Amino acid sequence: QSALTQPASVSGSPGQSITISCTGTSSDVGSYNLVSWYQQHPGKAPKLMIYEGSKRPSGVSNRFSGSKSGSTASLTISGLQAEDEADYYCCSYAGSSTSVFGGGTKLTVL
Amino acid sequence: QVHLVQSGAEVKKPGASVKVSCKASGYTFTSYYIHWVRQAPGQGLEWMGVINPSGGSTNYAQKLQGRVTMTRDTSTSTVYMELSSLRSEDTAVYYCARNAVHYSSSWYGSDGSDIWGQGTVVTVSS
């Protein structure tokens, strides 16, 4: 179970859109539509932003969206706001009732 | 209000075991899988395993096989995670998290976790 690959950092200015990629393999991201995305502020528990690839939980802004192409999933945040600055993690089902996280991406709002 | 409340911080010596509890409230305990995730200081999230509170079946990360055990007590709506043969690398914040989708609609119990416990700090030090 190798960790999914995410960029270490991304940045954007308020109002812009950014995309965070999450690359896996044909054994995880490529085989299942079960990628989830989490936002984590320092010292806090992770917060679910996207589940089952593209679904938003109740209460999550529609500025957050998820998609997938092949073995790469993506999280797009539009209309970037200062409070979006946080760490973001992807997670995918990896078969045999196991899951695997990405290494995390630090989003900086300039 | 749906909550997962975890037990308090632990300090353990290398080679010892730790058992962390996670008490669920506000929903039907047996209807949602519970995952355990840990985060070492300054590091990313690591999936540890999952338990089906209904039947008690479990699946663990290969890396932790043989050292981790997840159990549940349906009478108190509590799940437990026990990690044995502790080493310094096990120092981390340990989280329990509820699968977002009801078991009847979930193919694998790994759809994404919508409710998280507050985290339990486990420190392994001699």
Side-chain angles (χ1 to χ4, degrees):
Chain A
Q1 293 169 331
S2 299
L4 307 175
T5 301
Q6 297 182 233
S9 63
V10 298
S11 62
S13 300
Q16 287 186 330
S17 294
I18 63 96
T19 296
I20 299 172
S21 62
C22 170
T23 301
T25 68
S26 58
S27 297
D28 39 61
V29 176
S31 287
Y32 308 97
N33 201 24
L34 290 171
V35 174
S36 50
W37 288 91
Y38 300 89
Q39 176 192 69
Q40 187 180 35
H41 288 109
K44 302 293 187 181
K47 175 186 177 183
L48 181 66
M49 307 304 285
I50 297 289
Y51 70 104
E52 291 183 350
S54 59
K55 298 179 180 178
R56 266 189 316 275
S58 173
V60 171
S61 170
N62 59 9
R63 298 186 297 107
F64 292 83
S65 62
S67 62
K68 189 185 86 166
S69 177
S71 296
T72 298
S74 299
L75 173 71
T76 297
I77 308 174
S78 59
L80 210 55
Q81 299 179 0
E83 59 260 34
D84 298 333
E85 184 163 297
D87 293 326
Y88 290 84
Y89 295 89
C90 62
C91 182
S92 176
Y93 181 66
S96 302
S97 299
T98 65
S99 295
V100 60
F101 278 95
T105 298
K106 181 177 180 60
L107 170 62
T108 300
V109 180
L110 302 170
Chain B
Q1 195 81 320
V2 178
H3 287 297
L4 294 175
V5 178
Q6 299 182 222
S7 49
E10 303 264 12
V11 179
K12 296 292 183 181
K13 294 195 180 302
S17 297
V18 68
K19 192 170 187 177
V20 180
S21 67
C22 170
K23 183 174 176 58
S25 62
Y27 71 97
T28 303
F29 174 67
T30 52
S31 293
Y32 295 82
Y33 291 82
I34 294 285
H35 296 258
W36 287 89
V37 175
R38 70 179 180 178
Q39 187 170 35
Q43 303 300 309
L45 302 174
E46 179 184 10
W47 185 82
M48 299 180 67
V50 60
I51 183 168
N52 178 351
S54 179
S57 61
T58 56
N59 284 91
Y60 306 131
Q62 189 172 11
K63 172 183 176 181
L64 298 173
Q65 288 275 5
R67 288 208 299 139
V68 67
T69 304
M70 296 175 189
T71 57
R72 96 291 189 215
D73 181 344
T74 55
S75 69
T76 59
S77 299
T78 302
V79 296
Y80 300 90
M81 186 285 300
E82 183 170 22
L83 189 62
S84 62
S85 302
L86 290 169
R87 31 214 193 220
S88 58
E89 310 89 87
D90 295 317
T91 293
V93 178
Y94 288 75
Y95 295 101
C96 58
R98 189 192 80 163
N99 193 57
V101 177
H102 189 276
Y103 82 93
S104 63
S105 303
S106 175
W107 281 98
Y108 304 106
S110 299
D111 306 86
S113 296
D114 62 343
I115 305 296
W116 290 67
Q118 81 276 22
T120 296
V121 176
V122 174
T123 302
V124 182
S125 174
S126 54

